[in-house]
Amino acid sequence: MPPSFNQEIIEEFRANGGKVGGPFEGGDLLLMTTTGARSGREHTVPLGYVRYGKKLLVVASAAGAPRHPAWYHNLLAHPMVRVEVGTESFGAIAVPAEGGERDRLFEEVLRVAPGYAEYRDHTTRVLPVVALERSEPVPEEGDGVRAVDDSGTTLADKLLEIHTWLRSQLRHAHHEVEAHLAARKASGAGAPPPPPGLGLQIRQHCLAFCQSLDFHHSSENTHLLPALAEQHPHLRGTVERLREEHRVVARLQGELVTLLDDVTTAAPDHFRRELNRLSDELTAHLEYEESTLLPVLATIPFPPADAPPSAPSP
């Protein structure tokens, strides 16, 4: 669709609580904002969607065009997206399905919205099906993560919210890696690797973790840590250690991405040991931040009185 046409739909959607007229009247429509793979700028597009459990499915159909739409390339580079449905807005991780899982989800899409069959028949490419997974932190009982009350009113609450979400992404990586290694084992010694099914899931959750942690640390280094050092001189040693830890964590993130790139070929036992080592070191950093910063941040209101109503996602 031409950019001007998209913009008209976006403006109508936001002005009418998610409802639009014309050819989309009565249909399930959402707005998805991605970060440009090259430009780094935000881009918003209207897309039809299908609900599937707790996920929303969107199809990179481009109306049957021979190439994937730009938004699909954007989310491969930056999995964190913002979704608007009706009057609700939330952060999500965009995870393209692969192999048999993609085929199964596309059949579900066709059951609800059979018009996608026409787009499929107009092109030789396989139309990607992308699951949009809400990115709110959901602590699991017994996982060692402190629960976050939605009514939190301090900067300490916000830090815990972000850390809880980051821990959830590490858990995703562990669970999906175990499923992938189990599929490799089931295929038998000497057999070819199992069909793709979890590779993109692992990659997208890993990228979401690393990019969110980068953003979190950049914000801390630019705003939070200098303010703490100025307002609480006795914490200057702690602030310097945190800055050094951020440099170490950046190295660990690079090691984590490299490790997960080898999930299809690495020796399982070695892979598990390395993944556990990196996860333990990253978790130890989060725990150190909490032990040193929470008592001070618990005295700082969040959001500030002069802040806009919505705060950025982790």
Side-chain angles (χ1 to χ4, degrees):
M1 285 179 281
S4 58
F5 182 63
N6 274 350
Q7 190 57 40
E8 291 176 5
I9 296 173
I10 292 168
E11 291 173 0
E12 184 181 1
F13 183 103
R14 289 173 173 166
N16 295 287
K19 297 179 181 179
V20 297
F24 302 103
E25 185 172 3
D28 290 327
L29 197 71
L30 60 76
L31 303 183
M32 182 175 69
T33 300
T34 62
T35 301
R38 295 183 180 179
S39 68
R41 294 193 297 268
E42 289 189 344
H43 300 272
T44 301
V45 292
L47 298 170
Y49 72 91
V50 169
R51 289 190 181 274
Y52 185 73
K54 296 181 179 180
K55 301 176 182 179
L56 304 180
L57 305 180
V58 294
V59 181
S61 65
R67 297 180 180 179
H68 296 324
W71 61 258
Y72 181 72
H73 297 288
N74 289 346
L75 64 80
L76 287 179
H78 300 282
M80 297 296 296
V81 300
R82 178 140 298 274
V83 178
E84 297 170 58
V85 179
T87 58
E88 184 183 14
S89 177
F90 56 89
I93 303 174
V95 182
E98 295 180 275
E101 176 70 1
R102 177 263 166 209
D103 296 341
R104 186 174 65 81
L105 292 182
F106 190 65
E107 287 302 315
E108 177 64 19
V109 170
L110 290 180
R111 184 184 68 80
V112 178
Y116 281 99
E118 182 179 350
Y119 299 148
R120 175 198 60 196
D121 296 341
H122 279 176
T123 183
T124 57
R125 66 184 174 90
V126 176
L127 302 183
V129 180
V130 180
L132 302 176
E133 305 174 0
R134 284 177 177 266
S135 61
E136 286 87 349
V138 183
E140 296 177 3
E141 184 177 354
D143 67 0
V145 178
R146 294 174 60 180
V148 180
D149 190 332
D150 288 340
S151 62
T153 57
T154 70
L155 202 49
D157 297 324
K158 187 61 180 177
L159 183 72
L160 276 177
E161 177 186 329
I162 294 169
H163 282 193
T164 301
W165 186 87
L166 290 169
R167 286 183 173 103
S168 76
Q169 295 314 298
L170 281 177
R171 288 199 307 275
H172 267 299
H174 278 274
H175 294 165
E176 291 167 353
V177 162
E178 286 302 322
H180 186 86
L181 294 178
R184 280 181 55 188
K185 184 177 181 180
S187 68
L198 283 170
L200 271 176
Q201 289 185 45
I202 295 169
R203 176 187 181 277
Q204 295 298 90
H205 284 126
C206 176
L207 279 181
F209 170 84
C210 291
Q211 291 173 357
S212 297
L213 189 56
D214 275 341
F215 178 81
H216 175 49
H217 282 172
S218 295
S219 298
E220 286 185 335
N221 290 338
T222 304
H223 304 292
L224 178 62
L225 296 185
L228 286 178
E230 180 178 348
Q231 298 170 18
H232 303 274
H234 65 286
L235 290 178
R236 286 176 181 169
T238 299
V239 166
E240 285 307 310
R241 175 174 166 179
L242 283 171
R243 286 195 175 110
E244 178 57 33
E245 285 214 358
H246 289 176
R247 288 188 282 270
V248 172
V249 167
R251 173 180 57 79
L252 294 176
Q253 289 173 239
E255 292 181 23
L256 180 62
V257 171
T258 301
L259 177 69
L260 292 175
D261 281 344
D262 292 336
V263 68
T264 58
T265 57
D269 289 344
H270 171 76
F271 189 95
R272 286 190 182 96
R273 283 195 301 272
E274 285 300 292
L275 182 59
N276 288 335
R277 176 184 67 82
L278 292 170
S279 295
D280 288 346
E281 291 189 58
L282 290 166
T283 300
H285 166 72
L286 300 180
E287 291 173 349
Y288 178 73
E289 273 201 350
E290 291 166 4
S291 68
T292 57
L293 296 182
L294 288 183
V296 177
L297 300 186
T299 66
I300 303 174
F302 187 89
D306 57 350
S310 60
S313 295

